[in-house]
């Protein structure tokens, strides 16, 4: 099959198209013919080697973390899917590889594709939708009436998180550029802060939850808009000791993560709030919950551009150079 491989960590020069053997299908695996795959900043960070300390992939590696496609074979222990089913997924972190014609995915990580979406639309969702769910539902346990701040509300994660927070009954604020304010309102944001002309610290106060996808100074400032007891969840901030335990990291890596997150945790404590790092997990059951929200119109994908599969490297460059106007970039098989 055709696939796009990372041969060495670094920039785009370390990737190439290749013909490789079809995946092996285990007893609990589903072989999926990929129709479309989402492109995420995570793909760039894996390619660059940013996570090699705790995601020790063996190179060469097929890249890609989102898919939508059709089941072409099932393992002997598979009970949830049959040949011909349309599915979507974020494969487990140890089994990524959606920039390819085929992938074998554990049945527990798959879900039926939302009936209302095209393959390209469905492929844009799994990673960001699962991240939003795990942050807002699983970790923050957002309740109706709570105040939630979603940074970068027109981005891939933010555009879905804004809609999910509204579906949960929250009062939602978001930060966007001037050109994207209209989209943020259409997605359901109650308060839209134009970060080019406004300081969100001066506009917002007393929030229960912040979902941060930017890290750095933005995370530090976000702590100050939370009310006492509030929670800042970041997918871009430093990994914390809880993540190290969850990962089963060795003592040296646990110590490193503790040190990396020390400042963020200390600043959070000073403000009477908590800091939490999130690295999302695959989950077919959570995708099923999200599918219900999608097919009932409470969450809709935002797709910026669809590239042909042959232009996967160009699609990654498009994302890397910040050309995405809103939502996600997708590559689709012709």
């Amino acid at each position: 099959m055709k696939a796009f491989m990372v041969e060495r960590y670094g920039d785009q020069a370390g990737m190439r198209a290749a013909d490789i053997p079809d995946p092996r299908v285990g007893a609990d695996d589903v072989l999926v013919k990929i129709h479309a795959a989402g492109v995420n900043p995570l793909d760039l960070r894996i390619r660059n080697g940013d996570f090699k300390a705790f995601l020790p992939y063996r190179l060469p590696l097929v890249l890609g973390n989102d898919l939508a496609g059709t089941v072409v074979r099932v393992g002997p222990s598979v009970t949830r899917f049959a040949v011909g089913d349309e599915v979507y997924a974020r494969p487990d972190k140890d089994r990524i590889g959606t920039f390819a014609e085929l992938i074998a995915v554990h049945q527990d990580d798959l879900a039926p594709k939302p009936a209302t979406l095209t393959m390209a639309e469905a492929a844009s969702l799994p990673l960001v939708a699962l991240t939003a769910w795990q942050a807002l539902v699983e970790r923050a346990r957002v309740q109706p009436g709570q105040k939630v701040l979603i940074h970068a509300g027109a981005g891939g994660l933010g555009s879905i998180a804004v809609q999910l927070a509204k579906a949960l009954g929250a009062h939602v604020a978001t930060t966007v550029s001037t050109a994207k304010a209209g989209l943020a309102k259409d997605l359901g944001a109650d308060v839209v802060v134009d970060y080019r002309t406004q300081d969100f610290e001066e506009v917002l106060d007393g929030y229960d939850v912040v979902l941060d996808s930017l890290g750095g100074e933005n995370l530090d400032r976000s702590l100050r808009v939370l009310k006492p007891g509030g929670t800042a969840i970041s997918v871009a901030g430093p990994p914390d000791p809880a993540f190290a335990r969850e990962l089963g990291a060795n003592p040296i890596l646990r110590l490193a993560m503790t040190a990396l997150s020390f400042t963020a945790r200390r600043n959070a404590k000073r403000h009477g709030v908590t800091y939490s790092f999130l690295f999302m997990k695959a989950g077919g059951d959570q995708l099923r919950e999200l599918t219900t929200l999608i097919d009932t119109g409470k969450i809709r994908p935002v797709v910026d551009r669809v590239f042909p599969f042959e232009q996967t490297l160009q699609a990654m460059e498009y994302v890397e150079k910040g050309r995405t106007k809103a939502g996600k970039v997708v590559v689709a098989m012709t």
Side-chain angles (χ1 to χ4, degrees), residues 156-240:
L157 172 58
S159 61
I160 303 305
V162 166
Q163 296 176 81
L164 177 58
K166 283 302 294 181
L168 296 171
H171 172 89
V172 182
T174 192
T175 56
V176 295
S177 65
T178 308
K180 299 171 185 176
L183 172 62
K185 291 176 182 176
D186 289 344
L187 294 174
D190 300 290
V191 179
V192 178
V193 179
D194 180 348
Y195 68 78
R196 295 186 187 277
T197 61
Q198 296 173 289
D199 183 342
F200 72 84
E201 276 189 84
E202 296 179 359
V203 178
L204 308 175
D205 185 52
Y207 275 70
D208 297 279
V209 179
V210 174
L211 177 55
D212 165 62
S213 56
L214 303 172
E217 181 185 354
N218 191 79
L219 172 60
D220 292 337
R221 294 169 60 213
S222 295
L223 299 173
R224 298 194 282 269
V225 306
L226 289 166
K227 71 180 186 182
T231 301
I233 300 170
S234 180
V235 299
D240 58 10

Side-chain angles (χ1 to χ4, degrees), residues 216-217 219-221 223-224 232 237-241 255-271 273-276:
E217 181 185 354
L219 172 60
D220 292 337
R221 294 169 60 213
L223 299 173
R224 298 194 282 269
D240 58 10
L255 185 63
M257 291 186 185
T258 299
L260 283 170
S261 62
F262 174 78
T263 300
R265 291 183 290 112
R266 181 191 61 191
N267 291 343
K269 188 174 182 180
R270 284 176 177 171
H271 293 287
V273 302
T274 58
Y275 165 71
S276 178

Side-chain angles (χ1 to χ4, degrees), residues 6-23:
V6 178
E7 292 192 308
R8 65 179 185 274
Y9 288 128
D11 58 18
Q12 198 85 311
M15 285 192 70
R16 68 177 178 91
D19 286 305
I20 63 173
D22 291 354

